[in-house]
Amino acid sequence: MGVYVSRDRTDAAPKRAAEPQAEFFERVAGPFWDQVRDVINEWWSRFPDQAQPGLLSRLRDRNSDTNVYSALWELYLHQMLLGSGCSVEVERQTGTGGYKPDFLVTRDNEQFVVEAIWKAQKRDAGSYPLPPQLSDAIDRLPSPNFFVSCELHSAGTATPPQRRLKSGLTRWLESLDPDQVIADHERKVPLPSHTWQEAGWCLTFQAIPRSPGKRGNPSSRTIGVYPSAWAVEDGSERVLHAVTHKGGKYGDLELPFIVALGHAADFPEEEDIERALYGSTVEFAYDSGSTFSRKPDGYWTATYDHAHSRVSGVLVVNNPAPWTWTKNTPVLWQSPDPASLPAPIFPTWATAQLAGIQVKRQPAIRSVHTALDLPERWPTGDAFPRSAPR
Protein backbone atom coordinates (compact mmCIF):
# COMPACT_ATOMS: atom_id res chain seq x y z
CA MET A 1 0.00 0.00 0.00
CA GLY A 2 1.12 3.54 -0.68
CA VAL A 3 -0.15 7.05 -1.23
CA TYR A 4 -0.18 6.53 -5.01
CA VAL A 5 -0.90 3.36 -6.94
CA SER A 6 1.44 2.38 -9.77
CA ARG A 7 -0.61 2.54 -12.99
CA ASP A 8 -0.45 3.82 -16.54
CA ARG A 9 -1.08 7.55 -16.59
CA THR A 10 -1.67 9.39 -19.85
CA ASP A 11 -2.66 12.96 -18.92
CA ALA A 12 0.52 15.05 -18.75
CA ALA A 13 -1.18 18.44 -18.71
CA PRO A 14 -0.15 21.02 -16.08
CA LYS A 15 -2.35 21.54 -13.06
CA ARG A 16 -5.72 22.97 -13.97
CA ALA A 17 -7.01 25.94 -12.04
CA ALA A 18 -10.01 24.06 -10.63
CA GLU A 19 -8.03 20.91 -9.92
CA PRO A 20 -7.21 20.05 -6.29
CA GLN A 21 -3.52 19.48 -5.59
CA ALA A 22 -4.13 15.90 -4.46
CA GLU A 23 -5.96 15.11 -7.70
CA PHE A 24 -3.15 16.66 -9.75
CA PHE A 25 -0.46 14.55 -8.07
CA GLU A 26 -2.52 11.42 -8.69
CA ARG A 27 -3.41 12.31 -12.29
CA VAL A 28 -0.33 13.89 -13.92
CA ALA A 29 1.74 11.61 -16.16
CA GLY A 30 5.43 11.60 -16.96
CA PRO A 31 8.81 10.42 -15.58
CA PHE A 32 9.28 13.64 -13.58
CA TRP A 33 6.08 13.04 -11.64
CA ASP A 34 6.70 9.30 -11.31
CA GLN A 35 9.84 10.21 -9.35
CA VAL A 36 7.82 12.51 -7.09
CA ARG A 37 5.19 9.86 -6.39
CA ASP A 38 7.81 7.18 -5.74
CA VAL A 39 9.61 9.33 -3.16
CA ILE A 40 6.38 10.37 -1.44
CA ASN A 41 5.39 6.71 -1.20
CA GLU A 42 8.79 5.77 0.21
CA TRP A 43 8.88 8.59 2.76
CA TRP A 44 5.32 7.87 3.86
CA SER A 45 6.25 4.21 4.44
CA ARG A 46 8.95 5.34 6.89
CA PHE A 47 6.37 6.85 9.26
CA PRO A 48 5.29 4.61 12.12
CA ASP A 49 2.23 2.49 11.38
CA GLN A 50 -0.07 4.39 13.73
CA ALA A 51 0.76 7.73 12.05
CA GLN A 52 0.34 6.57 8.45
CA PRO A 53 -3.50 6.66 8.14
CA GLY A 54 -3.84 10.30 9.21
CA LEU A 55 -0.98 11.38 6.96
CA LEU A 56 -2.43 9.39 4.07
CA SER A 57 -5.81 11.06 4.50
CA ARG A 58 -4.23 14.52 4.30
CA LEU A 59 -2.08 13.67 1.28
CA ARG A 60 -5.17 12.47 -0.57
CA ASP A 61 -7.46 15.30 0.60
CA ARG A 62 -9.15 16.78 -2.46
CA ASN A 63 -10.93 19.42 -0.40
CA SER A 64 -7.88 21.14 1.07
CA ASP A 65 -4.61 21.96 -0.70
CA THR A 66 -3.38 23.20 2.68
CA ASN A 67 -3.75 19.69 4.10
CA VAL A 68 -1.76 18.27 1.19
CA TYR A 69 1.10 20.75 1.49
CA SER A 70 1.28 20.56 5.27
CA ALA A 71 1.48 16.76 5.04
CA LEU A 72 4.26 17.03 2.44
CA TRP A 73 6.07 19.44 4.76
CA GLU A 74 5.95 16.88 7.57
CA LEU A 75 7.19 14.15 5.19
CA TYR A 76 10.15 16.34 4.26
CA LEU A 77 11.03 17.17 7.87
CA HIS A 78 10.75 13.56 9.02
CA GLN A 79 13.03 12.36 6.22
CA MET A 80 15.54 15.16 6.78
CA LEU A 81 15.77 14.25 10.48
CA LEU A 82 16.17 10.55 9.72
CA GLY A 83 18.79 11.31 7.08
CA SER A 84 20.68 13.44 9.62
CA GLY A 85 21.19 10.43 11.87
CA CYS A 86 18.29 11.03 14.24
CA SER A 87 15.64 8.71 15.57
CA VAL A 88 12.17 10.24 15.47
CA GLU A 89 9.04 9.54 17.50
CA VAL A 90 5.85 10.88 15.94
CA GLU A 91 3.11 12.55 18.00
CA ARG A 92 4.29 11.41 21.41
CA GLN A 93 2.76 13.37 24.28
CA THR A 94 5.42 15.69 25.60
CA GLY A 95 5.33 18.70 27.91
CA THR A 96 2.68 20.10 30.24
CA GLY A 97 0.21 21.31 27.59
CA GLY A 98 -1.48 17.95 27.10
CA TYR A 99 -0.79 17.96 23.35
CA LYS A 100 1.37 15.81 21.12
CA PRO A 101 4.00 17.74 19.12
CA ASP A 102 4.85 16.38 15.69
CA PHE A 103 8.32 14.99 16.39
CA LEU A 104 10.33 14.02 19.46
CA VAL A 105 13.85 13.72 18.07
CA THR A 106 16.88 11.96 19.54
CA ARG A 107 20.42 12.57 18.29
CA ASP A 108 23.55 11.43 20.12
CA ASN A 109 21.60 10.86 23.36
CA GLU A 110 20.20 14.38 23.24
CA GLN A 111 16.52 15.07 22.63
CA PHE A 112 14.61 17.99 21.17
CA VAL A 113 11.10 18.66 19.89
CA VAL A 114 10.07 19.79 16.39
CA GLU A 115 6.61 21.15 15.62
CA ALA A 116 5.72 21.70 11.95
CA ILE A 117 3.49 24.37 10.45
CA TRP A 118 2.95 25.22 6.78
CA LYS A 119 1.78 28.76 6.12
CA ALA A 120 0.86 30.41 2.80
CA GLN A 121 0.24 34.05 2.05
CA LYS A 122 -3.32 35.25 1.73
CA ARG A 123 -4.80 36.93 -1.31
CA ASP A 124 -6.98 39.99 -1.67
CA ALA A 125 -10.53 38.66 -2.00
CA GLY A 126 -11.53 41.86 -3.81
CA SER A 127 -8.99 41.61 -6.64
CA TYR A 128 -11.25 39.60 -8.99
CA PRO A 129 -9.27 36.39 -9.50
CA LEU A 130 -10.41 34.48 -12.56
CA PRO A 131 -12.81 31.68 -11.51
CA PRO A 132 -11.04 28.32 -11.87
CA GLN A 133 -13.70 26.80 -14.14
CA LEU A 134 -13.48 29.80 -16.47
CA SER A 135 -9.70 29.74 -16.47
CA ASP A 136 -9.68 26.04 -17.39
CA ALA A 137 -12.21 26.60 -20.18
CA ILE A 138 -10.07 29.34 -21.75
CA ASP A 139 -6.88 27.31 -21.34
CA ARG A 140 -8.43 24.42 -23.26
CA LEU A 141 -9.09 26.58 -26.33
CA PRO A 142 -6.81 25.57 -29.21
CA SER A 143 -4.53 28.55 -29.80
CA PRO A 144 -1.37 27.37 -31.57
CA ASN A 145 -0.20 30.87 -32.51
CA PHE A 146 -1.03 33.05 -29.50
CA PHE A 147 -1.03 33.26 -25.75
CA VAL A 148 -3.56 35.58 -24.22
CA SER A 149 -3.37 37.86 -21.23
CA CYS A 150 -6.59 38.26 -19.34
CA GLU A 151 -7.86 41.12 -17.20
CA LEU A 152 -11.07 40.66 -15.23
CA HIS A 153 -12.84 44.00 -14.78
CA SER A 154 -16.05 42.78 -13.16
CA ALA A 155 -17.54 39.46 -12.11
CA GLY A 156 -21.20 38.52 -12.43
CA THR A 157 -23.20 36.73 -9.78
CA ALA A 158 -23.73 33.57 -11.85
CA THR A 159 -21.38 31.31 -13.82
CA PRO A 160 -20.54 33.03 -17.12
CA PRO A 161 -21.91 31.54 -20.36
CA GLN A 162 -18.72 29.86 -21.50
CA ARG A 163 -19.90 28.72 -24.94
CA ARG A 164 -20.33 32.23 -26.34
CA LEU A 165 -17.14 33.43 -24.65
CA LYS A 166 -15.07 30.59 -26.12
CA SER A 167 -16.55 30.84 -29.62
CA GLY A 168 -15.96 34.61 -29.75
CA LEU A 169 -12.42 34.29 -28.41
CA THR A 170 -11.59 31.51 -30.89
CA ARG A 171 -12.85 33.51 -33.88
CA TRP A 172 -10.87 36.55 -32.78
CA LEU A 173 -7.61 34.63 -32.34
CA GLU A 174 -8.04 32.81 -35.67
CA SER A 175 -8.44 36.17 -37.42
CA LEU A 176 -4.98 37.36 -36.30
CA ASP A 177 -1.64 36.81 -38.05
CA PRO A 178 1.10 36.33 -35.41
CA ASP A 179 3.88 37.57 -37.68
CA GLN A 180 1.91 40.71 -38.51
CA VAL A 181 1.19 41.33 -34.82
CA ILE A 182 4.93 41.05 -34.06
CA ALA A 183 5.79 43.44 -36.89
CA ASP A 184 3.16 45.93 -35.72
CA HIS A 185 4.32 45.69 -32.12
CA GLU A 186 7.90 46.48 -33.17
CA ARG A 187 6.48 49.70 -34.63
CA LYS A 188 4.93 50.50 -31.20
CA VAL A 189 1.44 49.41 -32.23
CA PRO A 190 -0.41 48.05 -29.15
CA LEU A 191 -1.18 44.34 -29.04
CA PRO A 192 -4.65 43.42 -30.34
CA SER A 193 -7.31 43.28 -27.64
CA HIS A 194 -10.76 41.77 -27.34
CA THR A 195 -13.34 42.68 -24.67
CA TRP A 196 -16.17 40.36 -23.73
CA GLN A 197 -19.16 41.49 -21.65
CA GLU A 198 -22.19 39.48 -20.63
CA ALA A 199 -24.33 38.87 -17.53
CA GLY A 200 -22.29 41.23 -15.38
CA TRP A 201 -18.96 39.80 -16.50
CA CYS A 202 -16.37 41.93 -18.27
CA LEU A 203 -13.01 40.55 -19.43
CA THR A 204 -10.37 42.02 -21.71
CA PHE A 205 -7.92 39.78 -23.57
CA GLN A 206 -4.69 40.71 -25.31
CA ALA A 207 -3.14 38.47 -27.95
CA ILE A 208 0.55 37.72 -27.37
CA PRO A 209 2.21 35.98 -30.34
CA ARG A 210 4.09 32.79 -29.61
CA SER A 211 7.64 32.74 -30.91
CA PRO A 212 7.89 30.97 -34.29
CA GLY A 213 9.67 27.94 -32.81
CA LYS A 214 6.90 27.39 -30.27
CA ARG A 215 3.86 27.57 -32.52
CA GLY A 216 1.71 24.78 -33.81
CA ASN A 217 0.96 23.01 -30.53
CA PRO A 218 -2.79 23.32 -29.97
CA SER A 219 -2.59 21.43 -26.67
CA SER A 220 -0.44 24.05 -24.92
CA ARG A 221 -1.99 26.48 -22.47
CA THR A 222 -3.71 29.52 -23.90
CA ILE A 223 -3.52 31.90 -20.95
CA GLY A 224 -0.04 33.35 -20.69
CA VAL A 225 -0.71 36.16 -18.18
CA TYR A 226 -3.31 35.75 -15.46
CA PRO A 227 -5.22 38.47 -13.61
CA SER A 228 -3.40 39.65 -10.54
CA ALA A 229 -4.58 38.52 -7.13
CA TRP A 230 -2.51 40.65 -4.83
CA ALA A 231 -1.20 39.38 -1.54
CA VAL A 232 -2.50 41.63 1.22
CA GLU A 233 -0.89 39.97 4.23
CA ASP A 234 2.37 41.38 5.53
CA GLY A 235 5.02 38.67 5.37
CA SER A 236 6.38 39.39 8.83
CA GLU A 237 2.89 39.20 10.35
CA ARG A 238 2.34 35.81 8.67
CA VAL A 239 5.55 34.43 10.18
CA LEU A 240 4.88 35.97 13.59
CA HIS A 241 1.34 34.56 13.78
CA ALA A 242 2.52 31.09 12.79
CA VAL A 243 5.31 30.95 15.37
CA THR A 244 3.14 32.47 18.09
CA HIS A 245 0.40 29.92 17.42
CA LYS A 246 2.74 26.95 17.74
CA GLY A 247 5.21 28.35 20.27
CA GLY A 248 2.84 28.47 23.21
CA LYS A 249 0.85 25.33 22.53
CA TYR A 250 2.81 22.69 24.44
CA GLY A 251 3.57 24.24 27.80
CA ASP A 252 6.91 23.53 29.42
CA LEU A 253 8.75 20.89 27.41
CA GLU A 254 12.06 21.01 29.30
CA LEU A 255 13.69 20.22 25.96
CA PRO A 256 14.96 22.40 23.10
CA PHE A 257 11.94 23.27 20.96
CA ILE A 258 12.06 24.12 17.25
CA VAL A 259 9.09 25.45 15.31
CA ALA A 260 9.57 24.35 11.68
CA LEU A 261 7.86 26.77 9.30
CA GLY A 262 7.15 25.90 5.68
CA HIS A 263 6.81 29.42 4.32
CA ALA A 264 4.88 29.61 1.03
CA ALA A 265 4.95 33.03 -0.65
CA ASP A 266 5.40 34.49 -4.11
CA PHE A 267 8.42 36.52 -3.06
CA PRO A 268 9.60 35.36 0.37
CA GLU A 269 11.91 37.88 2.01
CA GLU A 270 14.51 37.17 4.68
CA GLU A 271 13.78 40.64 6.07
CA ASP A 272 10.19 39.58 6.83
CA ILE A 273 11.40 36.64 8.92
CA GLU A 274 14.04 38.76 10.66
CA ARG A 275 11.48 41.43 11.53
CA ALA A 276 8.95 38.84 12.75
CA LEU A 277 11.41 37.12 15.07
CA TYR A 278 13.92 39.80 16.08
CA GLY A 279 11.88 42.99 15.68
CA SER A 280 11.97 45.96 13.31
CA THR A 281 15.05 48.16 13.15
CA VAL A 282 14.64 51.81 14.04
CA GLU A 283 17.00 54.80 13.83
CA PHE A 284 17.13 57.42 16.57
CA ALA A 285 18.47 60.78 15.42
CA TYR A 286 20.27 63.16 17.78
CA ASP A 287 22.13 66.42 17.31
CA SER A 288 25.36 64.50 17.74
CA GLY A 289 24.43 61.72 15.30
CA SER A 290 22.16 58.71 15.20
CA THR A 291 21.89 55.25 16.68
CA PHE A 292 20.07 52.13 15.60
CA SER A 293 18.02 49.79 17.72
CA ARG A 294 15.22 47.24 17.39
CA LYS A 295 11.60 47.78 18.30
CA PRO A 296 10.05 45.35 20.78
CA ASP A 297 7.74 43.94 18.09
CA GLY A 298 9.48 40.64 17.27
CA TYR A 299 8.58 37.22 18.62
CA TRP A 300 11.59 37.05 20.94
CA THR A 301 12.03 40.80 21.49
CA ALA A 302 8.42 41.78 22.23
CA THR A 303 8.37 40.41 25.78
CA TYR A 304 10.52 41.13 28.78
CA ASP A 305 9.45 38.20 30.95
CA HIS A 306 10.94 35.45 28.75
CA ALA A 307 7.44 34.28 27.76
CA HIS A 308 8.73 33.06 24.40
CA SER A 309 11.98 31.57 25.65
CA ARG A 310 10.61 28.03 25.37
CA VAL A 311 11.10 28.26 21.58
CA SER A 312 14.78 27.59 20.95
CA GLY A 313 14.70 28.29 17.23
CA VAL A 314 12.55 28.64 14.14
CA LEU A 315 13.55 26.52 11.16
CA VAL A 316 12.33 28.10 7.91
CA VAL A 317 12.23 26.70 4.39
CA ASN A 318 10.77 28.95 1.72
CA ASN A 319 8.25 27.41 -0.66
CA PRO A 320 8.82 23.76 0.26
CA ALA A 321 7.46 21.40 -2.41
CA PRO A 322 8.75 18.23 -4.08
CA TRP A 323 10.40 20.21 -6.88
CA THR A 324 12.28 22.46 -4.38
CA TRP A 325 13.12 19.93 -1.66
CA THR A 326 16.74 19.47 -2.75
CA LYS A 327 17.23 23.13 -3.69
CA ASN A 328 15.96 25.39 -0.89
CA THR A 329 18.23 25.53 2.15
CA PRO A 330 16.66 25.36 5.63
CA VAL A 331 17.59 28.31 7.85
CA LEU A 332 17.56 28.01 11.64
CA TRP A 333 16.76 31.33 13.30
CA GLN A 334 18.14 30.99 16.81
CA SER A 335 16.56 32.44 19.92
CA PRO A 336 18.48 35.41 21.39
CA ASP A 337 16.80 34.87 24.76
CA PRO A 338 19.37 33.63 27.30
CA ALA A 339 16.60 31.63 28.99
CA SER A 340 16.07 29.50 25.87
CA LEU A 341 17.56 26.04 25.68
CA PRO A 342 20.02 26.02 22.75
CA ALA A 343 18.69 24.52 19.54
CA PRO A 344 20.72 21.80 17.82
CA ILE A 345 22.31 22.80 14.53
CA PHE A 346 22.64 20.40 11.61
CA PRO A 347 25.28 20.77 8.87
CA THR A 348 22.55 21.04 6.20
CA TRP A 349 21.05 24.11 7.89
CA ALA A 350 22.11 27.69 7.49
CA THR A 351 21.80 29.75 10.68
CA ALA A 352 20.84 33.26 11.72
CA GLN A 353 21.58 34.69 15.16
CA LEU A 354 20.96 38.11 16.68
CA ALA A 355 24.13 39.77 17.97
CA GLY A 356 23.33 43.18 19.39
CA ILE A 357 21.07 44.62 16.72
CA GLN A 358 22.83 42.85 13.84
CA VAL A 359 21.96 39.42 12.46
CA LYS A 360 24.92 37.12 11.96
CA ARG A 361 24.42 34.46 9.31
CA GLN A 362 26.30 31.26 8.63
CA PRO A 363 25.82 29.14 5.48
CA ALA A 364 25.04 25.45 5.55
CA ILE A 365 28.07 23.16 5.47
CA ARG A 366 26.37 20.58 3.26
CA SER A 367 23.50 20.65 0.79
CA VAL A 368 20.16 19.50 2.15
CA HIS A 369 19.89 16.81 -0.53
CA THR A 370 22.47 14.77 1.38
CA ALA A 371 20.07 14.44 4.33
CA LEU A 372 17.15 13.61 2.05
CA ASP A 373 19.05 10.81 0.30
CA LEU A 374 18.20 12.35 -3.07
CA PRO A 375 20.39 13.53 -5.95
CA GLU A 376 21.22 17.22 -5.92
CA ARG A 377 19.31 17.71 -9.16
CA TRP A 378 16.03 16.02 -8.37
CA PRO A 379 13.52 15.37 -9.84
CA THR A 380 15.33 14.91 -13.14
CA GLY A 381 13.87 15.80 -16.52
CA ASP A 382 11.17 18.30 -17.43
CA ALA A 383 7.95 18.55 -15.47
CA PHE A 384 6.00 19.34 -18.62
CA PRO A 385 7.94 18.40 -21.77
CA ARG A 386 6.80 20.30 -24.81
CA SER A 387 4.69 18.22 -27.19
CA ALA A 388 5.84 17.93 -30.77
CA PRO A 389 4.05 20.37 -33.10
CA ARG A 390 1.28 18.87 -35.13
Side-chain angles (χ1 to χ4, degrees):
M1 182 181 176
V3 181
Y4 307 106
V5 177
S6 179
R7 62 179 178 86
D8 290 334
R9 292 174 170 87
T10 58
D11 188 347
K15 182 179 179 296
R16 301 175 180 102
E19 186 175 31
Q21 193 67 52
E23 183 177 314
F24 168 73
F25 281 136
E26 173 59 42
R27 183 265 303 169
V28 65
F32 181 98
W33 299 103
D34 289 338
Q35 296 169 71
V36 169
R37 282 185 288 265
D38 288 345
V39 165
I40 291 174
N41 279 343
E42 176 63 26
W43 288 4
W44 173 81
S45 74
R46 295 175 184 173
F47 266 68
D49 292 344
Q50 71 274 13
Q52 288 181 0
L55 195 62
L56 180 66
S57 176
R58 290 160 58 205
L59 288 166
R60 290 179 173 178
D61 191 345
R62 299 193 178 194
N63 297 311
S64 172
D65 286 353
T66 296
N67 273 347
V68 174
Y69 275 113
S70 65
L72 290 172
W73 175 229
E74 291 175 28
L75 277 181
Y76 165 94
L77 290 170
H78 184 259
Q79 177 58 35
M80 180 174 61
L81 292 167
L82 292 178
S84 299
C86 302
S87 61
V88 183
E89 296 179 71
V90 178
E91 295 182 344
R92 172 178 160 179
Q93 186 165 332
T94 307
T96 61
Y99 295 97
K100 299 177 180 179
D102 290 317
F103 306 122
L104 176 62
V105 187
T106 302
R107 184 183 69 159
D108 297 333
N109 298 319
E110 294 183 349
Q111 289 189 314
F112 61 97
V113 171
V114 176
E115 174 66 10
I117 182 169
W118 184 84
K119 195 74 173 177
Q121 69 184 32
K122 295 179 180 178
R123 302 290 181 177
D124 182 1
S127 62
Y128 291 132
L130 199 63
Q133 295 83 356
L134 187 58
S135 176
D136 288 339
I138 296 170
D139 256 338
R140 286 195 291 268
L141 288 177
S143 181
N145 296 323
F146 291 93
F147 293 111
V148 298
S149 67
C150 178
E151 183 176 0
L152 180 59
H153 303 290
S154 63
T157 57
T159 303
Q162 295 180 12
R163 180 176 297 179
R164 286 190 290 273
L165 167 62
K166 291 191 292 184
S167 62
L169 191 57
T170 299
R171 287 195 301 271
W172 171 62
L173 290 171
E174 288 177 344
S175 71
L176 301 174
D177 180 339
D179 294 325
Q180 185 61 51
V181 171
I182 291 174
D184 290 343
H185 191 61
E186 289 174 350
R187 296 195 300 270
K188 309 301 181 183
V189 176
L191 293 171
S193 64
H194 172 79
T195 298
W196 176 81
Q197 298 183 67
E198 190 168 341
W201 293 83
C202 181
L203 295 91
T204 296
F205 300 92
Q206 274 193 323
I208 306 170
R210 300 180 191 266
S211 59
K214 295 186 177 180
R215 295 177 193 167
N217 183 6
S219 65
S220 61
R221 284 188 165 184
T222 297
I223 300 177
V225 180
Y226 287 82
S228 297
W230 298 107
V232 295
E233 184 185 25
D234 180 83
S236 63
E237 291 181 2
R238 178 170 59 254
V239 172
L240 180 59
H241 290 165
V243 177
T244 302
H245 171 65
K246 291 294 188 178
K249 186 175 180 180
Y250 298 102
D252 292 327
L253 293 166
E254 298 183 350
L255 292 170
F257 178 31
I258 295 175
V259 175
L261 173 62
H263 183 218
D266 290 339
F267 304 103
E269 298 286 348
E270 294 285 287
E271 290 79 4
D272 288 339
I273 301 169
E274 177 183 325
R275 189 164 60 250
L277 300 179
Y278 297 150
S280 309
T281 56
V282 60
E283 180 180 7
F284 296 98
Y286 306 97
D287 291 341
S288 58
S290 62
T291 61
F292 290 87
S293 184
R294 286 190 180 268
K295 294 181 180 179
D297 56 358
Y299 179 73
W300 282 302
T301 59
T303 60
Y304 297 96
D305 56 358
H306 304 289
H308 293 160
S309 63
R310 62 169 55 96
V311 176
S312 306
V314 177
L315 184 70
V316 180
V317 178
N318 288 324
N319 293 320
W323 44 93
T324 67
W325 280 341
T326 65
K327 302 172 181 65
N328 294 355
T329 301
V331 180
L332 178 68
W333 297 76
Q334 298 169 274
S335 170
D337 193 321
S340 296
L341 295 173
I345 300 173
F346 289 11
T348 55
W349 299 353
T351 61
Q353 186 173 28
L354 189 64
I357 66 166
Q358 301 297 320
V359 176
K360 291 187 176 180
R361 304 171 190 270
Q362 293 292 332
I365 299 173
R366 298 204 309 262
S367 172
V368 70
H369 81 274
T370 60
L372 300 174
D373 195 24
L374 292 173
E376 185 173 6
R377 298 183 181 276
W378 181 92
T380 58
D382 294 329
F384 305 106
R386 183 174 179 268
S387 302
R390 299 179 185 177

